[in-house]
Amino acid sequence: MKKPHKAFEIALSAIACAAAAGFLMLGSVSPFLLATGYLVAAFAVMVPLSKDFWWGSALCFLAAGLLALPVSLWKVVPYFVFFGLHPIVNRIQMRFVQKKPLFLLCEVAKAVWFDLAMWLSWIVLTRMAGMVFPEYIETYFFYILFLGGTLFFFVYDVLMFACQKSVDTVVARIRK
């Protein structure tokens, strides 16, 4: 199979970056769409990864976050610390981790990373961005995060692996 041209990598990464930045900005102005913005931005980072464009994906992640910064500085923090990097880490794991014990160790490390990233995000969103959560969440936050969040992460991670496979299938149809 012929190696794709560099211009194709740049174009695919630029389109993914535009989609990611657009949804991050949309999520930043509407609290209702904040989580959707993070997820769609993560899906956009998957697009260059589907063709193994590592630099394109890294630049897509970085540029999308930087483009969304002027709209809302603090609401982009969860994207930078977890949601934008997670597809790249998953692709590295898919590519280089073959043995089951190492795979499980990676999953536990990613779960700890998720919990710490969500804790940092909660601190930033409540104290610096001024978001207000219901009182029961404020009261039981650490239980919700470290028990419910960890269980949620494993489901989220499996779904993100499945989404990456779907993106791989769709992008494989693109011809130069």
Side-chain angles (χ1 to χ4, degrees):
M1 184 168 181
K2 197 167 114 177
K3 184 179 179 200
H5 200 272
K6 202 67 166 167
F8 179 68
E9 177 179 1
I10 293 169
L12 191 66
S13 301
I15 291 168
C17 176
F23 274 93
L24 281 174
M25 286 186 235
L26 185 64
S28 293
V29 295
S30 170
F32 179 71
L33 296 174
L34 189 60
T36 304
Y38 295 146
L39 288 176
V40 174
F43 293 152
V45 172
M46 290 179 188
V47 172
L49 285 174
S50 64
K51 292 282 190 182
D52 287 330
F53 295 153
W54 296 95
W55 282 109
S57 179
L59 289 175
C60 173
F61 156 72
L62 189 61
L66 291 175
L67 286 171
L69 273 179
V71 175
S72 178
L73 174 69
W74 302 113
K75 291 183 181 177
V76 181
V77 169
Y79 171 77
F80 274 123
V81 296
F82 183 76
F83 291 104
L85 289 173
H86 185 249
I88 297 170
V89 171
N90 273 359
R91 190 60 166 210
I92 292 169
Q93 183 181 358
M94 277 177 30
R95 182 114 185 224
F96 297 111
V97 176
Q98 307 300 329
K99 300 189 187 232
K100 192 73 165 176
L102 190 54
F103 182 82
L104 293 174
L105 181 65
C106 287
E107 289 298 314
V108 169
K110 288 191 313 184
V112 170
W113 172 39
F114 175 77
D115 288 343
L116 293 176
M118 292 305 105
W119 186 21
L120 174 68
S121 299
W122 178 71
I123 290 170
V124 168
L125 291 176
T126 56
R127 296 195 180 135
M128 295 176 188
M131 288 184 71
V132 178
F133 292 96
E135 188 172 326
Y136 69 90
I137 291 179
E138 297 282 341
T139 305
Y140 300 110
F141 175 74
F142 290 106
Y143 294 116
I144 293 169
L145 176 66
F146 293 119
L147 296 175
T150 304
L151 293 174
F152 168 77
F153 170 75
F154 290 116
V155 173
Y156 172 79
D157 197 45
V158 168
L159 292 174
M160 290 303 278
F161 274 117
C163 288
Q164 180 67 56
K165 288 180 183 176
S166 297
V167 169
D168 291 350
T169 303
V170 170
V171 174
R173 294 184 209 163
I174 298 175
R175 296 191 192 263
K176 211 173 93 160

